[in-house]
Amino acid sequence: MAYLIRSFDWSSTPVGPVERWPASLKTSTSLILQSPIPMVMLWGEEGVMIYNDGYSVIGGHRHPALLGSNVRDAWPEARDFNDHVMRTGLAGKTLAYRDQEFVLHRKGYPERVWLDLDYSPVLDETGTPAGVIAIVIETTERVIAERRNREEFQRLQNLFSQAPTFMVMLSGPEHRFELVNPEYRKLIGPRDVLGLPVADALPEVAEQGFVELLDHVFQSGEAVNRTSQRVLLRRTEGGVLEERFVDFVYQPIREDGGTVTQIFVQGSDVTDRVRAEIHQKLLINELNHRVKNTLASIQSIVTQTLRGVETKEEAAKAISLRIMALSRAHDVLTRENWEGADLRAVVESSLEAFQVAGRDAIRIGGPDLRVGPHAAISLALALHELATNATKYGALSSPSGNVDVSWSVGPHSEFRMSWTETGGPPVTPSDRRGFGSRLILKVLPLELRGVAHIEYAPSGVVFTLDTSLEAVSDKASGAAS
């Protein structure tokens, strides 16, 4: 540029021949030529351009035509900007811009560029501003790189925030929370943990050994995976500890030298899954238990029935009816997931097959009450035996006979169920003790920790069971299973 300036015909410009340049212009020109920083001087009202080698690179294909031209004409796409610069600089003021964006035609096509610009007035011998010196640093590559980094970071932030799993970035040996996504906040509750060490932000977690596990990962550089890990979290301030189950990985993050500087935590809250698995295991165990009990009940029904019958046909019919009674009780309990049943539903299902068409031969009444699975089956089998006997010999064998089934709860949680027959043929006690009699008078009170009584009144059979509300709820101590 020194060579080009010396050989340029300055007499064709407002600046005039070099030999007539004022000392201030020569000094300023010498200053910018010796600077490694891109600089341009805009002299006079026209802003005649004199620049150094650094600025020639910024000029691109417009160099060397820029030399000696008026700045407003040299960069027509930035005319208004440069006009403002000249007016400000010649008024003795400075200007500074950082990452100023322009669209310049440096290569024959419009190009977006970013520049750092510093403008200062150049004073002549009288101290009057005669021109403007500009330091011009192109920052295009840096700006584009930063924008790309920001966009990439924002993209990662969006992925981080929208991830269906919880994610956390911990930094330093104290494991300070650097990044936390919404799923993690959902896990730990509304606590502001950013910037805090894990031990301070989640003290209950530290007490369960998780900080020691983080220390191990940070020091050894080895990742740690856990599946269905139980953790107790105080998800509200002053609240109780809540049990959660999580799958997670602690992944060490290394710098270029290989030193661990951060730990990335990623995982899922699998509490619902784990609890479902636990519940499933309990159900399977319960099912196994109930199947064994059911088989034992059927075995007992078959054995006891065979002792009291004379023909195969009678045995087959009795066994079939009793197993059907057991099945109906199971149906009621299955609808309630074997967590108990409504007593009225148990009674109705047990006696449904014995109702007489066209009239309410069996009347049912009592308060709303839930009974346990064990009590439900025991009562269903007993009611079946009472109804079978009433159909053969009692009130249900007569077109005008009736049965009243009722239950009540006393002031001290006493439970009573009554079976009262009326309108049937006269009944008399029998010396024969079959399966039904043994079931209602011995097995039932034994199973429900109560007392059973049967009376053969002239009007019909009256059967009562007295026990406790606790017993029929399957809560009695030592209740059979």
Side-chain angles (χ1 to χ4, degrees):
M1 283 308 300
Y3 170 78
L4 289 176
I5 290 172
R6 283 194 300 270
S7 59
F8 189 80
D9 181 13
W10 293 100
S11 61
S12 62
T13 71
V15 176
V18 173
E19 56 270 17
R20 295 182 184 176
W21 285 9
S24 57
L25 177 54
K26 292 179 179 180
T27 301
S28 299
T29 301
S30 176
L31 173 66
I32 66 172
L33 288 174
Q34 295 178 51
S35 173
I37 298 173
M39 298 179 71
V40 59
M41 182 163 55
L42 312 174
W43 192 261
E45 292 288 342
E46 297 82 0
V48 177
M49 298 182 67
I50 304 171
Y51 52 88
N52 64 4
D53 290 294
Y55 187 84
S56 69
V57 176
I58 291 176
H61 292 175
R62 288 187 174 181
H63 169 71
L66 292 173
L67 186 64
S69 62
N70 297 341
V71 69
R72 297 177 182 83
D73 299 330
W75 298 102
E77 60 268 43
R79 180 184 295 276
D80 292 341
F81 180 85
N82 285 321
D83 185 61
H84 172 68
V85 166
M86 292 308 301
R87 286 187 282 105
T88 301
L90 293 177
K93 298 178 181 178
T94 61
L95 290 170
Y97 300 91
R98 295 293 174 266
D99 296 329
Q100 178 67 39
E101 184 178 356
F102 295 94
V103 178
L104 302 179
H105 294 255
R106 301 187 299 175
K107 302 174 183 179
Y109 56 84
E111 177 190 13
R112 292 178 73 190
V113 299
W114 287 265
L115 303 169
D116 283 352
L117 301 165
D118 291 278
Y119 297 99
S120 301
V122 180
L123 306 180
D124 62 14
E125 287 72 15
T126 64
T128 302
V132 178
I133 282 184
I135 298 174
V136 183
I137 306 295
E138 183 166 357
T139 60
T140 302
E141 290 186 4
R142 176 179 60 78
V143 170
I144 291 176
E146 288 178 353
R147 288 193 174 188
R148 285 175 179 168
N149 288 339
R150 283 197 297 270
E151 290 171 359
E152 179 65 14
F153 180 75
Q154 187 59 51
R155 186 181 73 85
L156 292 175
Q157 281 283 73
N158 290 339
L159 290 174
F160 195 79
S161 298
Q162 297 170 16
T165 59
F166 64 74
M167 294 184 180
V168 175
M169 186 67 80
L170 303 173
S171 63
E174 293 182 327
H175 319 302
R176 291 184 179 274
F177 284 98
E178 190 174 307
L179 292 173
V180 175
N181 78 340
E183 284 300 311
Y184 189 76
R185 294 186 185 279
K186 188 186 298 184
L187 174 68
I188 65 171
R191 289 187 274 187
D192 188 8
V193 299
L194 284 177
L196 297 176
V198 171
D200 294 341
L202 307 173
E204 74 276 19
V205 167
E207 294 171 0
Q208 297 169 64
F210 290 96
V211 171
E212 286 83 353
L213 193 59
L214 287 168
D215 290 339
H216 170 74
V217 174
F218 195 85
Q219 293 162 11
S220 68
E222 299 174 356
V224 168
N225 289 275
R226 291 289 186 272
T227 302
S228 302
Q229 175 69 53
R230 180 175 180 265
V231 58
L232 299 176
L233 292 170
R234 202 178 305 278
R235 305 177 76 191
T236 58
E237 186 175 353
V240 299
L241 289 171
E242 296 183 34
E243 181 184 60
R244 310 298 295 177
F245 294 91
V246 293
D247 293 346
F248 68 87
V249 57
Y250 288 163
Q251 181 65 50
I253 306 298
R254 303 174 187 272
E255 62 181 10
D256 293 340
T259 303
V260 176
T261 58
Q262 296 169 304
I263 296 176
F264 177 66
V265 181
Q266 186 271 333
S268 301
D269 184 346
V270 295
T271 303
D272 291 342
R273 185 196 76 195
V274 171
R275 288 177 178 168
E277 291 172 352
I278 294 172
H279 184 61
Q280 185 179 43
K281 290 179 182 178
L282 290 173
L283 286 178
I284 291 173
N285 292 336
E286 181 68 14
L287 178 61
N288 289 334
H289 177 70
R290 294 195 185 284
V291 167
K292 291 178 182 178
N293 282 351
T294 300
L295 291 174
S297 297
I298 292 174
Q299 183 182 31
S300 177
I301 288 172
V302 172
T303 302
Q304 296 295 329
T305 302
L306 291 175
R307 290 177 181 173
V309 296
E310 297 178 355
T311 66
K312 293 180 181 179
E313 292 75 14
E314 185 182 357
K317 182 178 180 180
I319 290 171
S320 177
L321 291 173
R322 284 163 179 163
I323 290 177
M324 286 301 297
L326 183 65
S327 174
R328 285 190 292 272
H330 277 224
D331 287 341
V332 173
L333 290 168
T334 299
R335 289 195 294 269
E336 300 288 341
N337 294 320
W338 280 82
E339 294 177 356
D342 177 68
L343 179 55
R344 182 179 297 275
V346 172
V347 174
E348 288 177 349
S349 68
S350 301
L351 301 178
E352 181 180 3
F354 297 94
Q355 285 284 11
V356 178
R359 67 187 183 90
D360 292 330
I362 303 176
R363 296 185 288 264
I364 300 169
D368 290 339
L369 182 65
R370 288 189 67 79
V371 295
H374 176 72
I377 291 174
S378 298
L379 290 171
L381 288 173
L383 290 169
H384 170 79
E385 294 303 323
L386 287 166
T388 299
N389 190 70
T391 302
K392 288 181 177 181
Y393 314 110
L396 298 182
S397 67
S398 169
S400 59
N402 292 290
V403 175
D404 286 294
V405 182
S406 63
W407 60 90
S408 61
V409 178
H412 301 291
S413 297
E414 308 97 335
F415 173 83
R416 165 170 281 196
M417 173 172 276
S418 299
W419 172 281
T420 305
E421 299 182 23
T422 56
V427 294
T428 58
S430 172
D431 295 332
R432 183 168 173 260
R433 285 286 182 264
F435 173 76
S437 297
R438 287 194 295 274
L439 175 67
I440 63 175
L441 293 176
K442 292 185 177 181
V443 178
L444 180 65
L446 178 66
E447 291 287 307
L448 297 185
R449 301 295 186 268
V451 176
H453 176 73
I454 191 166
E455 178 184 352
Y456 295 93
S459 58
V461 170
V462 177
F463 169 80
T464 57
L465 170 70
D466 290 294
T467 183
S468 66
L469 186 61
E470 185 181 38
V472 296
S473 301
D474 286 359
K475 296 178 181 178
S477 174
S481 61

